[in-house]
Amino acid sequence: MASIEDFKSIISQKGGVARTNKFRVLFTPPKGSLFNIDPEAIIGSLFGGSTGNFDAKNLINDPRAVSFLCSGAALPGTQIQTLDFQAQKQTTKIANTYIHEEVTLKFILTNDYYIKKLFDNWLGQVVDLESHTVGYKDDYSCDIIIQQLNSKNKVVYGVKLFEAFPTTVTGIEFDAGAENAYGEMSVTFSYDRYEPQGPVSSTLTGVGSVLEVFDN
């Protein structure tokens, strides 16, 4: 029978346990969703509103802020679907195909509602809410990288979602009794496929995603 010391030894050999609060999410939203042309916010800032002084740099949202404001994520799961196969008098299950679970990310809301406006714009690129026309997938999708980090913030595992786009943006709840709480919103993404990545390949993919931010 294994002892607690054996268990501790195995955990130590494997580099410790994976911490669910050590993660990173990297992606560059479609360019159209990064524009922050909000006349009311601009006028409010010019007249000393709560958003502060007007700064032309704020007209284009910095996509790197998405990573910092992401407060929750999940690695995607996969389900193998089966069919019943009749072999003589016995029925067995055989693999038929597979489906990937959608991925939900959670974001912290700031007082300028940066994340909310970004995804409002992004959804408008997927389906125009006024004309009800659907956009081209190449224009409204992007790759998303989700990484598990260790205690030293080094990548130990990663997943790359290809051609991802938001399908559900949750509502925002208010609570008069929660004085010290902050606002959050969740976004569910669909994607074509995902690719598991090791520490090196995921780190390189993440660097490429950051460089893409500057290219845009």
Side-chain angles (χ1 to χ4, degrees):
M1 182 177 178
S3 66
I4 185 64
E5 294 302 322
D6 294 329
F7 175 75
K8 290 168 63 176
S9 176
I10 291 174
I11 295 297
S12 178
Q13 292 173 16
K14 302 300 182 183
V17 296
R19 301 291 183 179
T20 57
N21 67 326
K22 306 292 288 186
F23 69 94
R24 180 164 54 214
V25 175
L26 300 169
F27 64 91
T28 302
K31 293 180 181 179
S33 63
L34 295 177
F35 294 113
N36 188 28
I37 310 301
D38 186 344
E40 291 190 22
I42 294 173
I43 294 173
S45 62
L46 288 173
F47 286 93
S50 59
T51 54
N53 296 325
F54 174 72
D55 188 342
K57 293 185 294 183
N58 293 332
L59 296 178
I60 300 179
N61 291 316
D62 187 345
R64 290 172 295 179
V66 173
S67 177
F68 292 111
L69 295 176
C70 185
S71 59
L75 295 174
T78 301
Q79 178 185 355
I80 300 295
Q81 294 188 314
T82 61
L83 292 174
D84 290 336
F85 176 73
Q86 187 73 34
Q88 296 181 354
K89 296 183 179 180
Q90 184 177 358
T91 300
T92 60
K93 290 187 176 296
I94 59 173
N96 176 36
T97 185
Y98 65 89
I99 56 174
H100 293 318
E101 294 178 350
E102 294 185 322
V103 168
T104 298
L105 304 179
K106 185 181 293 184
F107 297 93
I108 296 171
L109 287 171
T110 51
N111 268 329
D112 60 358
Y113 261 40
Y114 158 70
I115 285 291
K116 182 66 169 70
K117 294 175 182 177
L118 185 149
F119 282 105
D120 284 346
N121 292 337
W122 194 341
L123 289 178
Q125 290 186 267
V126 180
V127 179
D128 190 292
L129 302 183
E130 294 183 0
S131 66
H132 303 286
T133 56
V134 179
Y136 293 99
K137 190 171 184 180
D138 287 346
D139 295 332
Y140 64 70
S141 64
C142 69
D143 298 338
I144 296 178
I145 302 158
I146 305 173
Q147 299 172 332
Q148 169 77 67
L149 309 178
N150 62 16
S151 59
K152 297 180 180 180
N153 292 325
K154 301 297 183 182
V155 180
V156 298
Y157 183 84
V159 164
K160 182 176 182 179
L161 312 180
F162 291 88
E163 302 294 314
F165 61 94
T167 55
T168 302
V169 176
T170 61
I172 300 171
E173 297 184 0
F174 301 111
D175 185 351
E179 293 185 15
N180 298 319
Y182 56 84
E184 287 185 307
M185 60 177 285
S186 297
V187 182
T188 300
F189 291 84
S190 290
Y191 52 94
D192 286 352
R193 61 185 180 91
Y194 77 81
E195 176 185 275
Q197 298 181 325
V200 175
S201 57
S202 185
T203 299
L204 292 175
T205 303
V207 171
S209 178
V210 173
L211 292 177
E212 183 182 353
V213 171
F214 293 99
D215 288 340
N216 287 337

